[in-house]
Amino acid sequence: MRLLKVFLFTTSLVFLGQAAQAETAPDAFDGVVNLNRDIVVEGDIVYLSDIFSGLKEEQNAAIAHSPELGKNVDLDARWLWALAQKHDVNWQPNSRFDTTSVSRAGQKIDADQIKNSVEVALLEQGLADGHQIEFDLKDRALEIPAEIEATLRVESINYREGQSRFSAQIVIPAEGRPVITKVVSGYLIKVVNVPVLNRRLSKGDIIRDHDINWITLKSTKLSKNAITDLESLIGMTPKHSIKPESVIRTNDLDTPKAVNKNSLVTIQLNSGPLALRTQGRALDSGAMGDVIRILNTQSNTIVNGTVTGEGLATVQLISSTIVGN
């Protein structure tokens, strides 16, 4: 460790001595040259003019390949001074803190753009209808160099039906000579359109057309008693409060009661072509089509009637019953 400290100290003295010597040397350069900081380049090559500003046109030269996307290359004062001397650039560091970094300009093709393109390619082959794409890697966004047009095309699709797996070759840009080729892969997941409520409804509320929204869910996320058709919802009432956008099950719903227990009802007595009406009191609650017990308030007798309307129950009598009465 002690030897390392001595080496670093000696190196610093040599470095500063060289800098001082350069300051006192005759000026062999024209113009003011400055070091650029946090350099971002486009293209495959880093040029001298990317590092220093104020150069003459004839001084510009290619000095290195651009860094990989997403990576920075740090250039220290010693390296920069050596570069300036090699190319006769009128610049020298004031201290070891005269540094810079180089990165390559990039842009992203987002995951949605890739997903949409792959879905279209799958649909064209009759594969994606009623399915949803799920990539093996959740975020399939691609970072590409800034100088390349951010468009893509799907070159080919491979699909294994038994496993519902696919792979797709993506070419960037969409037109012209391919610059970047990537392969993405994933699964086709079966999905179902499901009707849900767009507002909270409570027990006794009647579900109407305007109460419905549609959402798309993976079929594996649905229970066997989940409601997936509109006809099973319209005209029904919740057994309990149902939140909006939640999957509705058959046991969450009830047929609305057309007659409530202890309410007054109209009794329609039918016997052949004859029909008589009288008043009664419901001893049970009932929905349309239910058979309930009704107390005839005039005769004080109990009859069974079928609920046929709001507050209405029909009792079928044989003719001899009416004649006898």
Side-chain angles (χ1 to χ4, degrees):
M1 180 64 72
R2 184 176 180 182
L3 290 174
L4 178 61
K5 290 182 177 178
V6 171
F7 172 76
L8 292 174
F9 177 72
T10 304
T11 303
S12 298
L13 288 177
V14 171
F15 175 75
L16 293 174
Q18 289 173 337
Q21 183 180 0
E23 287 179 357
T24 58
D27 191 357
F29 308 94
D30 294 325
V32 177
V33 176
N34 294 309
L35 175 66
N36 297 323
R37 310 283 183 173
D38 300 323
I39 300 162
V40 180
V41 299
E42 291 189 10
D44 297 326
I45 303 298
V46 179
Y47 291 91
L48 195 63
S49 59
D50 295 320
I51 308 297
F52 299 107
S53 62
L55 299 179
K56 295 179 180 179
E57 186 175 347
E58 59 270 18
Q59 286 182 288
N60 200 16
I63 59 171
H65 289 288
S66 299
E68 294 181 20
L69 283 174
K71 293 185 178 180
N72 287 352
V73 174
D74 295 324
L75 307 178
D76 62 21
R78 183 178 296 279
W79 190 92
L80 291 167
W81 190 23
L83 178 70
Q85 288 179 317
K86 178 181 178 181
H87 294 277
D88 294 332
V89 175
N90 185 20
W91 178 88
Q92 62 186 39
N94 295 317
S95 74
R96 63 186 178 88
F97 297 109
D98 275 347
T99 62
T100 189
S101 65
V102 180
S103 60
R104 186 167 183 176
Q107 59 182 323
K108 282 189 175 181
I109 297 180
D110 62 37
D112 285 340
Q113 185 178 350
I114 297 170
K115 181 180 179 180
N116 292 339
S117 297
V118 173
E119 280 183 341
V120 168
L122 287 166
L123 281 170
E124 288 175 350
Q125 296 189 27
L127 298 174
D129 193 24
H131 291 77
Q132 178 177 290
I133 285 180
E134 189 167 289
F135 288 119
D136 290 331
L137 298 178
K138 297 301 181 184
D139 183 7
R140 287 302 317 181
L142 294 178
E143 187 169 5
I144 65 172
E147 68 272 12
I148 299 174
E149 184 181 357
T151 59
L152 65 91
R153 69 177 184 269
V154 178
E155 191 80 358
S156 62
I157 289 280
N158 292 315
Y159 179 66
R160 295 198 292 274
E161 186 172 357
Q163 299 175 330
S164 295
R165 282 195 58 78
F166 72 88
S167 62
Q169 181 173 281
I170 294 173
V171 173
I172 303 169
E175 303 292 337
R177 183 178 64 87
V179 178
I180 297 174
T181 300
K182 292 281 185 179
V183 175
V184 295
S185 59
Y187 290 88
L188 285 178
I189 308 297
K190 187 175 181 180
V191 294
V192 180
N193 291 324
V194 180
V196 294
L197 299 179
N198 56 29
R199 62 189 181 98
R200 182 183 292 272
L201 292 182
S202 303
K203 183 177 180 179
D205 294 332
I206 306 301
I207 300 174
R208 309 294 186 192
D209 283 335
H210 60 264
D211 297 318
I212 303 299
N213 273 349
W214 290 87
I215 61 174
T216 301
L217 295 175
K218 298 177 183 178
S219 59
T220 54
K221 298 290 185 181
L222 294 176
S223 60
K224 291 183 178 179
N225 61 347
I227 292 176
T228 58
D229 62 288
L230 196 60
E231 291 73 19
S232 299
L233 279 181
I234 301 303
M236 302 296 284
T237 185
K239 289 182 179 179
H240 52 80
S241 181
I242 299 178
K243 296 186 296 184
E245 305 300 319
S246 61
V247 176
I248 304 170
R249 301 162 300 174
T250 53
N251 55 347
D252 292 327
L253 301 178
D254 200 0
T255 305
K257 305 303 180 185
V259 172
N260 294 315
K261 185 177 180 179
N262 293 324
S263 65
L264 293 177
V265 296
T266 299
I267 306 172
Q268 181 166 306
L269 303 171
N270 290 340
S271 179
L274 299 178
L276 300 175
R277 289 197 173 191
T278 186
Q279 193 175 64
R281 183 176 300 276
L283 301 181
D284 304 303
S285 296
M288 294 287 290
D290 288 345
V291 176
I292 62 173
R293 295 174 303 142
I294 306 167
L295 175 65
N296 187 326
T297 54
Q298 293 185 1
S299 63
N300 205 32
T301 57
I302 297 175
V303 295
N304 291 328
T306 301
V307 178
T308 52
E310 191 75 26
L312 176 66
T314 299
V315 177
Q316 295 291 342
L317 299 177
I318 60 174
S319 299
S320 59
T321 302
I322 296 181
V323 173
N325 287 341

